[in-house]
Amino acid sequence: DAGITQSPRHKVTETGTPVTLRCHQTENHRYMYWYRQDPGHGLRLIHYSYGVKDTDKGEVSDGYSVSRSKTEDFLLTLESATSSQTSVYFCAISESTATNEKLFFGSGTQLSVL
Amino acid sequence: AQTVTQSQPEMSVQEAETVTLSCTYDTSESNYYLFWYKQPPSRQMILVIRQEAYKQQNATENRFSVNFQKAAKSFSLKISDSQLGDTAMYFCAFVGRQGAQKLVFGQGTRLTINP
């Protein structure tokens, strides 16, 4: 299995507080992604990165920011959490930018905003 | 923008039966990849099978096979001799080979295999 770790695995927070989720990889893959999973919606892309300090928005980026200061780490920040951001968050890494034949996923973070 | 649609929210079959999960997609690209991912209750995302659009031959992986109809933009998954361990959410996904490699998912089908 690919070396990809998400932390924390579970988090409960209050509305209005900042939250940071971390994705760490040991595969040296260029592409990293953050998705959220909600019932009836599948997985929706929040942000992705194609290199250190190179990021772009996905389809549901409002309310989220990301940073990638090192190849191995991709951080997702909710500046002021809202109840609509209660979700399961997945990080993924891609082994190839030319073909993107596969994505490897982390184990997910269950975030509850009360 | 690409879209992926799975029209079966839930399915249930008996062990050892064959089951087919449907997926349709919309894209203007001519070359792309299609995937089926499995998500058991553990929440782990597991790649089941993938298909490259320029390959006419349908992909197979042991008991899993696809029916890829490029003109109809259809990509169904067939599971033969279903097993209890096949119980999971199944997601169809698409990624184009041009530009940003954003993987787009369908809404998912919850498959239950009954003993």
Side-chain angles (χ1 to χ4, degrees):
Chain A
D1 290 339
I4 176 171
T5 305
Q6 286 184 236
S7 59
R9 188 154 171 84
H10 302 274
K11 185 170 182 66
V12 180
T13 190
E14 293 183 350
T15 299
T17 60
V19 176
T20 295
L21 308 182
R22 181 181 184 236
C23 179
H24 179 77
Q25 63 149 328
T26 58
E27 304 295 323
N28 200 36
H29 290 338
R30 178 181 175 187
Y31 272 58
M32 299 185 76
Y33 307 78
W34 277 108
Y35 289 88
R36 61 176 289 174
Q37 181 178 11
D38 304 288
H41 292 278
L43 279 81
R44 293 180 290 175
L45 182 65
I46 305 171
H47 282 280
Y48 71 104
S49 170
Y50 45 94
V52 174
K53 297 185 180 179
D54 291 324
T55 65
D56 204 351
K57 296 178 180 180
E59 63 177 305
V60 290
S61 59
D62 288 348
Y64 302 94
S65 62
V66 291
S67 66
R68 192 171 178 196
S69 59
K70 299 183 291 184
T71 299
E72 57 266 34
D73 289 326
F74 192 34
L75 304 180
L76 176 70
T77 297
L78 290 65
E79 300 291 346
S80 178
T82 67
S83 58
S84 65
Q85 293 175 312
T86 292
S87 186
V88 177
Y89 291 84
F90 283 95
C91 176
I93 62 175
S94 172
E95 68 174 359
S96 171
T97 60
T99 63
N100 197 29
E101 292 187 351
K102 298 183 195 179
L103 282 185
F104 298 102
F105 287 85
S107 300
T109 296
Q110 174 68 62
L111 175 66
S112 298
V113 183
L114 305 179
Chain B
Q2 293 87 358
T3 59
V4 177
T5 302
Q6 294 177 247
S7 58
Q8 305 153 310
E10 295 187 11
M11 296 188 71
S12 177
V13 299
Q14 295 299 119
E15 192 175 8
E17 290 184 346
T18 294
V19 59
T20 299
L21 281 58
S22 301
C23 173
T24 59
Y25 59 94
D26 188 28
T27 183
S28 59
E29 296 189 38
S30 59
N31 196 13
Y32 45 86
Y33 285 98
L34 294 162
F35 306 82
W36 279 99
Y37 277 91
K38 169 185 178 181
Q39 186 182 44
S42 67
R43 208 166 66 191
Q44 183 183 4
M45 294 291 288
I46 302 167
L47 178 66
V48 175
I49 199 166
R50 90 175 167 267
Q51 174 80 42
E52 296 173 69
Y54 66 87
K55 290 186 177 179
Q56 296 197 359
Q57 185 174 5
N58 289 326
T60 62
E61 289 287 343
N62 300 314
R63 298 183 294 109
F64 299 88
S65 62
V66 298
N67 183 7
F68 174 48
Q69 301 290 328
K70 190 172 183 179
K73 296 181 181 175
S74 172
F75 182 61
S76 61
L77 174 69
K78 185 172 79 171
I79 305 174
S80 303
D81 185 26
S82 58
Q83 301 174 0
L84 298 179
D86 295 332
T87 293
M89 282 289 290
Y90 286 82
F91 292 101
C92 178
F94 166 101
V95 64
R97 295 197 65 187
Q98 297 174 336
Q101 296 173 15
K102 301 178 185 179
L103 188 68
V104 179
F105 286 85
Q107 302 90 331
T109 296
R110 183 174 301 281
L111 176 64
T112 301
I113 309 299
N114 298 307

